[in-house]
Amino acid sequence: LIDAHAGGVGSVGAAGPTPLEGRLALVAGTSCCHMASSRAPVFCPGVWGPYRGAMVPGTYLNEGGQSAAGLLLDHVVTTHPAHAVADALPGASTYDKLNRRLAVLAGDAPVAALARHVHVDPDFRGNRSPLADPCRAGAIVGLTTDDGVDALAVLYLATLQALCYQTRHIVDALEAAGHPPIQEVVITGGLGKNPLFVRTVADALGVRVALPAEDEAVLLGSAVLGACSAGEYPNLEAAMAAMTRYGSSIAPDPALKAFHDAKYSCFRKLSALQTELWETMGRV
């Protein structure tokens, strides 16, 4: 089993009301891997699979992904003129510092709304899913001459939102191809330690987000596989339910649904415009 699939085993099988088919495993770090299981095969253009028994026996696995996630956030932040100023802010890490700054800027308003007019196409290293086009590039709409730390914080927020909207695009593509509705996203990996990312996934997709109690889901998944192989449990799903559990979860904020629906629409339009621009210039 490859490492990402072991992370899925160590995260999406915890006992709970949401069936396995309704859960999306999101391994979010330098890049992102999106894993969805179904009892029947789902053929979705731009999403890998279906792979029979690749993660959980008796199910089919579909796998989407983003080639640059944490990598893109690092690029956007470290290449900004205000990066050194951001590093001097109070906080444990650069992203903690930016999250704190966004909270100050927002005041009593939602943090998400700070990036209302800044839109990002996150395909800086091509698009793995659901467009499956390695030649695509990134784009940012809404820049001004402001190169201060507050502008950096808003650009970071807009980039983080774009990564979440792309996850929503992958989920939309899967469901349009016949996959059972995704009701819950289980996040593991380094980005799962960023509360703003976790919150934005929940709000942007409009689903519950769960975080495993065990941070090292890949290692736990490997242990689950070992216990099942040793005959400690009758099958892998029983082992997953017994050995994994959720540490915390958050529900989407219904007050932000209209905002994220509108901004997701802008995200899709920006993505489609890039395709149109490439086609236009490809004809000359």
Side-chain angles (χ1 to χ4, degrees):
L1 208 66
I2 67 170
D3 54 354
H5 294 176
V9 169
S11 59
V12 295
T18 305
L20 180 63
E21 289 184 294
R23 293 174 175 172
L24 178 78
L26 175 55
V27 182
T30 303
S31 58
C32 280
C33 182
H34 307 72
M35 294 172 289
S37 298
S38 57
R39 302 296 176 184
V42 176
F43 294 87
C44 179
V47 177
W48 296 355
Y51 302 127
R52 183 180 180 186
M55 187 169 76
V56 179
T59 69
Y60 292 84
L61 177 68
N62 287 95
E63 182 180 331
Q66 294 163 301
S67 298
L71 175 67
L72 176 58
L73 292 173
D74 287 347
H75 171 75
V76 167
V77 170
T78 60
T79 58
H80 195 278
H83 176 228
V85 179
D87 271 347
L89 294 173
S93 68
T94 299
Y95 298 112
D96 178 51
K97 295 170 183 181
L98 290 172
N99 291 349
R100 290 174 181 232
R101 186 59 192 162
L102 288 167
V104 170
L105 292 174
D108 294 332
V111 167
L114 291 170
R116 178 183 301 274
H117 297 301
V118 181
H119 306 280
V120 176
D121 184 330
D123 291 338
F124 283 58
R125 295 195 70 181
N127 183 288
R128 177 178 163 189
S129 302
L131 304 179
D133 183 354
C135 295
R136 289 179 64 86
I140 302 172
V141 173
L143 293 177
T144 70
T145 56
D146 186 350
D147 61 0
V149 69
D150 291 348
L152 167 57
V154 171
L155 179 58
Y156 152 71
L157 171 62
T159 306
L160 187 150
Q161 289 175 342
L163 291 170
C164 297
Y165 296 142
Q166 193 162 69
T167 290
R168 178 170 169 176
H169 192 188
I170 292 168
V171 169
D172 282 356
L174 279 168
E175 293 180 352
H179 195 282
I182 297 299
Q183 306 167 45
E184 182 177 83
V185 176
V186 185
I187 301 178
T188 62
L191 284 176
K193 297 177 174 63
N194 184 333
L196 183 58
F197 177 79
V198 175
R199 161 54 62 192
T200 307
V201 170
D203 292 339
L205 275 70
V207 299
R208 178 174 176 266
V209 168
L211 298 174
E214 171 54 59
D215 287 341
E216 300 295 341
V218 173
L219 296 180
L220 178 58
S222 299
V224 171
L225 289 165
C228 186
S229 299
E232 292 295 319
Y233 300 96
N235 55 59
L236 186 58
E237 290 191 56
M240 291 163 66
M243 296 179 65
T244 65
R245 62 187 177 87
Y246 294 152
S248 62
S249 65
I250 61 170
D253 183 350
L256 290 175
K257 183 180 186 306
F259 173 86
H260 283 294
D261 284 350
K263 201 164 188 210
Y264 176 61
S265 175
C266 293
F267 170 85
R268 294 291 300 271
K269 289 176 182 177
L270 181 58
S271 178
L273 179 59
Q274 181 179 162
T275 300
E276 181 182 337
L277 294 177
W278 276 77
E279 291 174 350
T280 297
M281 296 309 298
R283 290 193 291 266
V284 297

